[in-house]
Amino acid sequence: MSDITARYDDAAAGLATGAPGDFVALLKPRVMSLVIFTAFAGLVAAPGHLNPVLAFASLLAIAVGAGASGALNMWWDADIDAIMSRTRGRPIPSGRVAPREALAFGMVLSVFAVFTLGVAANWLAAGLLAFTIFFYAVVYTMWLKRWTPQNIVIGGAAGAFPPMIGWAAASGQISAASIALFCIIFFWTPPHFWALALFKQTDYGRAGVPMMPNVKGADHTRFLILAYSILLAPIALSPAFLGLEGKLYAGIAAISSAIMIYFAVKVYRTRQGKEADKAAGQLFGYSILHLFLLFAVIVAERGVGAVLGHLQ
Amino acid sequence: MNAADKSEGVVLTPAQAKARRQRNIAIGLAVTALCALFYAITLAKLSHGAG
């Protein structure tokens, strides 16, 4: 083989082989679906009316912005993703997408998403989206994640912004009610992720990510999960106290919070063997349902209210 | 290596060629969707302004 042929082969080996599906996977579609849902709830709950086309464009921009931050996260974290079983099959560690492609993809989508939201809704919402992307990609991914076991407590803010962005897109402002929606996700994130970390702690430990169970121990994490789950209950009820939501929301939030605390108590008390992993798995699963229920009722109450208002 | 080989440049494997074609189609669709989105946003903004 001549030198020229070798160089051609090297170049060919460096060519992108990623299919469109790999680039979609970079956007973390499951996280994206939660972002779309909570942003939609913020948009529906906010005072004011946004043209349906502009509302759709806003939601799309928020979703793409969230996806872009996911791509930037995967670009930065490719080294630790290759170690953990949960993330080993992601496009970069598996070699289907080159790191520089993921970086370019994330940056381009970020700019387009922020610009589109600014044009479709307003620049307050666009500014919040830009800050969210920065917070997730830089503050959480590059700084907090490998430095402190409080990583997901502070970093959880990135996941908590979407309803606030949706609210700002519809109303052009930030209010106490939109901060309440932010707080629900912010205080929901630690027990949700620590429940996952409890049964994936060897994975995080091997990758050198300082998650709470492998830094402070599983028992301390169980205490914190219970504390946050209890703290979350009044925060989950706050939209009702603030007059944003009615009795239906208050009732469902109270019942669902009680179930969440029940699973957290179970995690706190069950500390050994497969039963402990099962309890953590149950809490992880229920936490997703809990958040879904809270925001689904917000959408239902406000959405039905808006439709009835139009009919009168 | 002769001159004819050099002029061929990088020869893609069938898998690379397929992936590139799929990416090109996806980029084309995304750009088309973006044009449609901005067209719709413009119409919505104009009708909102008129109302």
Side-chain angles (χ1 to χ4, degrees):
Chain A
M1 184 188 283
S2 73
D3 286 342
I4 293 171
T5 314
R7 279 206 296 276
Y8 280 169
D9 284 349
D10 286 346
L15 283 175
T17 54
D22 295 319
F23 287 87
V24 172
L26 283 177
L27 303 176
K28 297 191 176 180
R30 274 191 297 182
V31 176
M32 214 184 198
S33 62
L34 185 68
V35 167
I36 293 171
F37 181 57
T38 56
F40 178 65
L43 219 141
V44 170
H49 173 72
L50 192 61
N51 178 297
V53 173
L54 300 180
F56 171 78
S58 301
L59 275 180
L60 189 66
I62 296 168
V64 171
S69 64
L72 294 173
N73 166 275
M74 285 203 207
W75 161 69
W76 186 262
D77 276 348
D79 57 337
I80 53 176
D81 281 352
I83 299 169
M84 296 197 288
S85 62
R86 188 171 64 88
T87 52
R88 201 174 291 152
R90 283 178 174 176
I92 303 175
S94 63
R96 299 194 303 276
V97 172
R100 65 179 189 285
E101 291 176 314
L103 173 63
F105 186 59
M107 292 298 288
V108 168
L109 288 190
S110 297
V111 171
F112 267 98
V114 170
F115 177 75
T116 304
L117 187 59
V119 170
N122 56 66
W123 292 100
L124 171 66
L128 284 173
L129 180 63
F131 180 73
T132 305
I133 296 169
F134 168 78
F135 197 87
Y136 186 69
V138 177
V139 177
Y140 171 70
T141 303
M142 297 183 186
W143 180 39
L144 294 169
K145 187 172 177 180
R146 302 181 194 215
W147 174 58
T148 167
Q150 297 293 334
N151 47 17
I152 50 109
V153 177
I154 310 165
F161 272 114
M164 206 183 214
I165 302 172
W167 185 288
S171 67
Q173 60 188 7
I174 295 169
S175 67
S178 73
I179 293 171
L181 299 181
F182 170 92
C183 287
I184 289 173
I185 304 179
F186 185 75
F187 285 94
W188 166 87
T189 306
H192 169 74
F193 268 104
W194 284 333
L196 174 73
L198 271 180
F199 60 90
K200 289 280 183 189
Q201 58 177 305
T202 49
D203 241 12
Y204 285 115
R206 215 169 49 235
V209 178
M211 288 300 278
M212 195 60 78
N214 46 294
V215 174
K216 299 279 184 182
D219 288 352
H220 184 70
T221 307
R222 288 189 172 90
F223 167 74
L224 288 175
I225 285 175
L226 181 59
Y228 271 93
S229 299
I230 293 169
L231 192 61
L232 177 61
I235 293 166
L237 284 164
S238 63
F241 298 144
L242 290 167
L244 176 67
E245 297 300 318
K247 287 175 185 168
L248 176 68
Y249 176 85
I252 290 176
I255 294 166
S256 188
S257 296
I259 298 171
M260 177 88 179
I261 292 170
Y262 164 76
F263 282 117
V265 168
K266 209 172 160 187
V267 168
Y268 182 72
R269 296 179 67 172
T270 316
R271 301 185 172 202
Q272 298 293 328
K274 285 186 178 174
E275 286 300 308
D277 279 354
K278 190 182 165 192
Q282 283 175 333
L283 177 65
F284 178 74
Y286 189 76
S287 65
I288 296 170
L289 182 62
H290 183 47
L291 193 71
F292 174 77
L293 271 177
L294 295 177
F295 281 87
V297 179
I298 288 172
V299 171
E301 266 199 348
R302 301 290 292 191
V304 170
V307 170
L308 290 177
H310 276 294
L311 292 177
Q312 282 170 357
Chain B
M1 173 176 273
N2 58 36
D5 288 338
K6 274 188 191 175
S7 66
E8 282 180 12
V10 176
V11 180
L12 299 178
T13 64
Q16 285 170 335
K18 186 183 173 193
R20 176 180 281 186
R21 191 168 53 249
Q22 286 178 337
R23 285 199 305 273
N24 288 345
I25 292 168
I27 291 169
L29 290 175
V31 171
T32 307
L34 202 61
C35 290
L37 183 70
F38 274 80
Y39 181 66
I41 289 172
T42 306
L43 287 184
K45 287 267 180 188
L46 288 175
S47 64
H48 186 67

